[in-house]
Amino acid sequence: MSLVEQYCPKGSRVCDIFAGTLAVSFELKRRGFFVIANDINLFSSVIGKAFIVNNEIPSINLRKLLPVSASPFRGKAKAWAATLIGKPGFQFLQQQEYFAAYVELLALLCYLQQLRLEHLPKDLRRTDFYDTYTEGGKNSQFLSQRGRSGRRRFFSDANGLHIDAMLNQIRFWRRNQFLHETVYNTLLSSLIRAVEKVSNTQGTYHDFPREEIDPRALNPLKFEPPPFDTTLKGGEHIMGQAEDSLSFIQRAPSHSLIYIDPPYNFRQYTAYYFLPNLICRYSDIQDLDNYFSKVEFVRGQNMEDDFISPFCRKPLFLSSLEFLVTKAPCQWVALSYFDGRNHWNDFKSEADTIGFEKLKKFFGSSIFRKKTLKVEPVKRINYQSYGGYKAKEISEYLFIAEKS
Ligand SMILES: C[S@@+](CC[C@H](N)C(=O)[O-])C[C@H]1O[C@@H](n2cnc3c(N)ncnc32)[C@H](O)[C@@H]1O
């Protein structure tokens, strides 16, 4: 990140074009840059709008939202907020007006935390997550391409039902326009973070362990308080609408530097993260019966939501990168690259340099000013083991050059 500070004046615009979890965007905002971010995953867009574009504690009208008295939830929320004062991310709580606004947000989370299906009116009680993604559900059976059958178990039955209750409530508020956009995005962000902590997965939602249940998944789903110190930094930031970065970049305002952290293999992120994306999409799906009747594969994804990224296809990678960089209205281009197993490298031989050389050639093209290229190595260990090949040290590089 200090590299960005070397290249870009404080307060300039920086584009995080494959933002993913937004780790880079958060750090940019924290350091006083104006962020332009996009990612094809809807969950990324939702978090970005809640915490990067938004600069305030969202204002919440509990009386309008809750069907019961807000007092017990407010009482719990006050006690909860008091325990956070002074912790990293929560310096803002020392200001009285922020504290008061934050208590209302925590109270809303406390309400959702205790909400169960039976608290909702009968006509709002749907069980889509329980039915589709837990062992007890009536639509959770799968048949794999290898002929193995079983039941999906991304969540415990209890957590599946809890997710349903909360999503039914949020969907009702959303469809009746009771929720300001920022409150909606903040609630969804909190929910996907809480869901991630109790998901029976090994990192992504592409699959779940078939033989065992991760003990984490047996814990009850629990909200964590969202930190707001970085959010309250202010500034004008932009988050895309979960679109293809090749189209987003054509509308992006000018910026000092574009940070490009693309996928380098065939794995499609919209498949790997389809469940957080679905949580974010759920309230806006008109016909839920129709939607869930079309889920496919062991994981149970409706493939109409899927997106095949050109960066995940070896023959399209370099031409897509060229298009992206050419269209980006910026001065500096920083590309992150790691030489693990990817489009060009098999990660088996010691000399996996093909990808590196191809990118070096790309940065030597007329798109860039001569002699401006710097390649900064960043060493790290790759703990993944591919096809029996043990973890080995991989090299991560940052290519930085000025556009001509
Ligand atoms: C290596 S990850 C980036 C990780 C990110 N820097 C972070 O801190 O989480 C690549 C990201 O590119 C996104 N992506 C891939 N192809 C895309 C495309 N054509 N348009 C927009 N996003 C895309 C994926 O969804 C994924 O989040």
Side-chain angles (χ1 to χ4, degrees):
M1 191 55 63
S2 49
L3 270 175
V4 176
E5 283 175 331
Q6 273 173 40
Y7 285 83
C8 309
K10 251 228 147 45
S12 57
R13 282 201 206 108
V14 178
C15 181
D16 183 11
I17 196 66
F18 294 112
T21 60
L22 295 143
V24 173
S25 293
F26 273 106
E27 191 54 24
L28 287 168
K29 181 168 180 179
R30 199 180 70 75
R31 291 185 186 225
F33 291 102
F34 297 140
V35 179
I36 303 169
N38 183 61
D39 196 280
I40 193 68
N41 277 305
L42 184 59
F43 82 81
S44 181
S45 178
V46 164
I47 299 174
K49 286 179 191 164
F51 297 108
I52 303 279
V53 177
N54 170 45
N55 292 321
E56 287 162 14
I57 314 259
S59 139
I60 289 166
N61 184 344
L62 286 178
R63 227 180 328 142
K64 187 165 153 200
L65 294 176
L66 304 195
V68 288
S69 161
S71 306
F73 303 111
R74 210 175 263 129
K76 269 192 188 166
K78 261 190 198 149
W80 194 7
T83 65
L84 301 169
I85 297 176
K87 293 203 171 148
F90 297 93
Q91 298 299 326
F92 67 94
L93 285 174
Q94 278 152 9
Q95 291 187 46
Q96 195 44 49
E97 77 272 21
Y98 285 154
F99 186 93
Y102 194 66
V103 163
E104 300 299 284
L105 172 61
L106 289 190
L108 193 53
L109 293 182
C110 287
Y111 167 75
L112 289 173
Q113 180 74 59
Q114 58 80 52
L115 187 69
R116 295 295 179 271
L117 277 173
E118 53 274 22
H119 300 150
L120 294 168
K122 278 209 171 95
D123 60 334
L124 291 187
R125 291 182 207 164
R126 293 189 60 99
T127 50
D128 297 307
F129 276 72
Y130 170 74
D131 287 344
T132 321
Y133 303 115
T134 75
E135 278 192 293
K138 62 178 189 281
N139 290 326
S140 68
Q141 59 278 50
F142 66 81
L143 182 62
S144 78
Q145 282 169 342
R146 292 190 186 147
R148 296 226 181 108
S149 60
R151 289 191 166 270
R152 287 181 205 110
R153 42 170 160 171
F154 280 111
F155 310 114
S156 68
D157 289 1
N159 282 333
L161 288 167
H162 192 190
I163 295 169
D164 278 320
M166 291 188 282
L167 279 178
N168 286 330
Q169 177 67 86
I170 293 172
R171 188 169 194 264
F172 172 79
W173 286 333
R174 168 88 165 164
R175 295 182 91 75
N176 288 282
Q177 296 174 359
F178 289 172
L179 286 182
H180 185 279
E181 194 68 19
T182 311
V183 180
Y184 175 65
N185 287 326
T186 308
L187 290 184
L188 290 179
S189 301
S190 300
L191 181 54
I192 54 180
R193 282 189 174 151
V195 165
E196 191 195 327
K197 295 248 156 65
V198 294
S199 293
N200 182 36
T201 59
Q202 286 162 342
T204 78
Y205 293 89
H206 194 253
D207 209 341
F208 42 86
R210 307 283 174 84
E211 311 304 333
E212 66 206 52
I213 292 210
D214 188 319
R216 279 179 327 129
L218 300 174
N219 294 331
L221 188 147
K222 204 166 144 228
F223 282 113
E224 288 192 359
F228 267 86
D229 280 350
T230 301
T231 298
L232 295 169
K233 281 255 164 195
E236 248 187 70
H237 309 277
I238 296 171
M239 183 75 221
Q241 303 279 359
E243 58 194 290
D244 186 349
S245 288
L246 296 183
S247 63
F248 173 82
I249 199 63
Q250 301 185 54
R251 287 184 283 106
S254 63
H255 42 279
S256 293
L257 181 144
I258 187 168
Y259 171 67
I260 308 176
D261 185 14
Y264 282 102
N265 58 42
F266 62 89
R267 297 188 175 85
Q268 299 294 341
Y269 279 79
T270 46
Y272 276 60
Y273 294 98
F274 82 97
L275 260 175
N277 287 339
L278 175 55
I279 287 173
C280 294
R281 184 169 284 122
Y282 188 83
S283 300
D284 293 329
I285 297 172
Q286 284 291 338
D287 185 345
L288 287 166
D289 289 334
N290 180 43
Y291 183 93
F292 280 95
S293 73
K294 292 185 192 159
V295 301
E296 289 179 61
F297 301 122
V298 171
R299 65 182 177 277
Q301 182 184 3
N302 180 328
M303 295 306 285
E304 285 168 14
D305 292 340
D306 203 43
F307 173 79
I308 308 288
S309 174
F311 290 87
C312 296
R313 300 184 55 201
K314 182 178 171 180
L316 299 181
F317 183 93
L318 283 170
S319 57
S320 306
L321 182 63
E322 182 176 334
F323 182 89
L324 179 70
V325 170
T326 309
K327 296 288 178 197
C330 64
Q331 183 181 2
W332 294 97
V333 175
L335 175 77
S336 161
Y337 172 71
F338 75 95
D339 68 358
R341 183 169 155 179
N342 63 30
H343 288 321
W344 307 284
N345 300 348
D346 61 10
F347 206 50
K348 293 175 187 169
S349 52
E350 282 308 308
D352 276 338
T353 57
I354 304 170
F356 182 90
E357 292 305 326
K358 284 197 184 283
L359 291 175
K360 214 166 142 198
K361 188 168 164 215
F362 170 71
F363 275 92
S365 74
S366 60
I367 303 173
F368 298 96
R369 277 186 59 197
K370 288 211 179 333
K371 298 196 178 138
T372 59
L373 175 63
K374 286 231 170 80
V375 184
E376 306 277 351
V378 191
K379 284 262 183 218
R380 70 174 169 102
I381 301 277
N382 184 3
Y383 290 98
Q384 276 169 304
S385 149
Y386 291 113
Y389 288 84
K390 284 265 148 49
K392 76 172 191 182
E393 193 175 72
I394 63 158
S395 299
E396 195 169 305
Y397 298 97
L398 206 58
F399 289 75
I400 306 186
E402 188 174 9
K403 276 180 76 177
S404 34

